[in-house]
């Protein structure tokens, strides 16, 4: 019963909704609901509260607690490419504390991290940190760190940040130009969300852990099937264009190592005699130039900050 409301708030495509619909049928509605007073939220179970995150989350805590560590200590290092969408961190990288102790974003085991820059925020980049070297990490400055307080379960907090309302409203609050838009701290601090009792938070988080694991397994199977179909398509195309459609036609050696045998009545020609490369340019040359980055995606080149030459002393 506790998981019914939370799962309905998840971001899911049609296939995932069908998968979760069966799970939701096992739960009965709460006996009574009340108006939450939050427009996007509507009714919530009567015994739940609505809280601004500033009262239940410590946002971007300082790294003062690592002062006791040796500067030679190896800690986890998390650039943006190590933050996956919807829940995982690549923790293969470590660095000495002396290298990352300043100029990077600090977090520890149990903290929830989420990308604050576009399009990483909209794409769901974020995770609950577990398994960090020495229990701590330093990462890209394009992360917000949320640390749950006593009344909040860490995994429930993580799922909260994946909710449709959190991502949609956060996107609307972004500031900056083009590919440099970011979610401000004020949005996270003032975001209002329902807060069940701690036991129900844990029940909801556990339910979502199980259901998302099932969905991930289904996705993995579908992805494997897609890869096999792509291989089959490539093999079919290759077979048709190099050997034709008649499996009984007489064959001959092509004298091309990768090609092998071809139909006896076919010829071998170099591409230069079969087609020419087309050069198509803009008629006016006034179109906007684009640039691509693994952090910001495809953006207008005019939005990219220009590098400045340092002044000579």
């Amino acid at each position: 019963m506790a998981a019914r409301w939370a799962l309905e708030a998840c971001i899911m495509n049609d296939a995932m909704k069908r998968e979760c619909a069966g799970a939701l049928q096992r739960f009965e509605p709460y006996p009574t609901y009340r108006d939450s007073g939050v427009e996007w939220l509507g009714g919530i179970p009567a015994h739940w509260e609505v809280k601004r995150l500033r009262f239940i989350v410590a946002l971007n805590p300082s790294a003062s607690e690592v002062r006791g560590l040796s500067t030679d200590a190896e800690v986890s290092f998390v650039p943006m490419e190590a933050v996956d969408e919807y829940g995982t961190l690549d923790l293969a990288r470590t660095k000495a504390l002396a290298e990352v102790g300043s100029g990077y974003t600090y977090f520890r085991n149990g903290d929830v991290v989420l990308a604050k820059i576009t399009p990483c925020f909209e794409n769901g980049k974020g995770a609950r940190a577990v398994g960090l070297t020495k229990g701590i990490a330093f990462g890209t400055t394009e992360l917000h760190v949320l640390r749950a307080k006593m009344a909040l379960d860490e995994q429930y907090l993580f799922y909260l940040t994946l909710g449709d309302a959190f991502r949609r409203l956060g996107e609307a609050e972004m500031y900056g130009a083009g590919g440099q838009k970011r979610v401000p701290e004020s949005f996270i601090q003032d975001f209002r969300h329902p807060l069940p009792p701690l036991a129900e938070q844990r029940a909801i988080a556990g339910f979502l852990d199980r259901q998302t694991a099932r969905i991930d397994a289904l996705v993995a199977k579908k992805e494997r099937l897609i890869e096999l179909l792509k291989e089959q398509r490539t093999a079919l195309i290759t077979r048709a264009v190099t050997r034709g459609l008649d499996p009984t036609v007489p064959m001959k050696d092509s004298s091309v190592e990768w090609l092998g045998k071809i139909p006896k009545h076919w010829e071998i020609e170099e591409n230069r005699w079969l087609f020419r490369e087309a050069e198509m340019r803009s008629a006016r040359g006034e179109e906007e130039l684009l640039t691509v980055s693994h952090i910001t995606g495809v953006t207008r080149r005019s939005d990219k900050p220009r590098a400045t030459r340092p002044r000579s002393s």
Side-chain angles (χ1 to χ4, degrees):
M1 183 170 67
R4 184 182 184 89
W5 177 89
L7 193 56
E8 288 173 344
C10 288
I11 308 171
M12 294 176 286
N13 61 28
D14 290 341
M16 290 184 179
K17 286 179 180 177
R18 288 194 297 271
E19 168 68 18
C20 292
L24 288 173
Q25 289 175 358
R26 304 199 307 269
F27 299 98
E28 295 295 330
Y30 285 94
T32 57
Y33 288 79
R34 65 178 178 86
D35 181 28
S36 66
V38 181
E39 183 178 357
W40 67 265
L41 184 54
I44 61 172
H47 64 291
W48 289 17
E49 299 181 79
V50 173
K51 294 280 190 181
R52 295 185 189 274
L53 290 190
R54 68 172 67 242
F55 298 116
I56 53 177
V57 166
L59 183 61
N60 298 321
S62 72
S64 59
E65 59 198 31
V66 304
R67 289 174 181 166
L69 282 179
S70 166
T71 56
D72 296 330
E74 290 287 315
V75 297
S76 292
F77 179 68
V78 184
M80 183 61 79
E81 59 266 28
V83 183
D84 200 358
E85 297 175 6
Y86 302 105
T88 59
L89 297 175
D90 178 0
L91 300 178
R93 304 168 182 84
T94 62
K95 288 194 175 185
L97 182 59
E99 296 182 60
V100 294
S102 61
Y104 291 95
T105 300
Y106 164 75
F107 55 97
R108 71 186 187 194
N109 279 337
D111 288 346
V112 173
V113 296
L114 59 95
K116 62 184 176 182
I117 193 168
T118 189
C120 301
F121 175 81
E122 301 95 306
N123 291 343
K125 275 182 172 276
R128 174 172 167 253
V130 293
L132 304 177
T133 301
K134 298 288 191 304
I136 63 174
F138 288 83
T140 169
T141 57
E142 299 296 353
L143 291 175
H144 279 311
V145 179
L146 286 68
R147 182 171 297 169
K149 295 183 180 179
M150 292 292 290
L152 184 59
D153 179 75
E154 296 167 351
Q155 192 70 354
Y156 181 83
L157 172 61
F158 165 63
Y159 283 121
L160 180 161
T161 66
L162 293 185
D164 175 67
F166 184 86
R167 295 286 169 169
R168 175 168 44 84
L169 297 175
E171 182 179 357
E173 293 291 324
M174 283 181 158
Y175 67 94
Q180 301 299 314
K181 289 185 176 180
R182 294 174 175 84
V183 175
E185 289 189 5
S186 59
F187 163 75
I188 298 174
Q189 291 171 331
D190 292 331
F191 185 75
R192 299 173 70 191
H193 198 276
L195 186 69
L198 195 57
E200 287 187 57
Q201 295 177 38
R202 290 169 178 159
I204 290 169
F207 175 82
L208 291 175
D209 285 344
R210 294 188 296 274
Q211 292 301 315
T212 53
R214 289 183 61 199
I215 292 170
D216 288 344
L218 290 172
V219 169
K221 289 181 180 178
K222 294 293 184 183
E223 288 177 343
R224 177 56 182 156
L225 177 59
I226 290 170
E227 289 303 313
L228 291 173
L229 290 173
K230 286 180 178 179
E231 292 174 9
Q232 182 179 358
R233 180 183 62 183
T234 300
L236 178 64
I237 293 171
T238 301
R239 176 68 175 78
V241 300
T242 60
R243 299 198 174 188
L245 302 178
D246 184 357
T248 65
V249 70
M251 306 291 285
K252 68 177 181 180
D253 182 32
S254 67
S255 299
V256 179
E257 183 177 356
W258 67 266
L259 184 55
K261 293 186 176 182
I262 61 173
K264 192 172 183 179
H265 63 288
W266 286 20
E267 298 180 23
I268 298 292
E269 291 284 359
E270 293 184 9
N271 282 345
R272 72 178 70 194
W273 310 119
L274 300 178
F275 61 83
R276 64 183 179 84
E277 184 176 356
E279 185 174 324
M280 302 175 66
R281 300 193 178 209
S282 164
R284 295 180 300 169
E286 298 175 355
E287 285 75 10
E288 180 73 47
L289 292 176
L290 302 178
T291 185
V292 64
S293 163
H294 72 282
I295 296 177
T296 60
V298 178
T299 58
R300 295 181 302 179
R301 181 176 291 183
S302 59
D303 291 333
K304 185 175 182 180
R306 294 180 178 273
T308 57
R309 185 187 299 273
R311 295 181 179 178
S312 57
S313 56

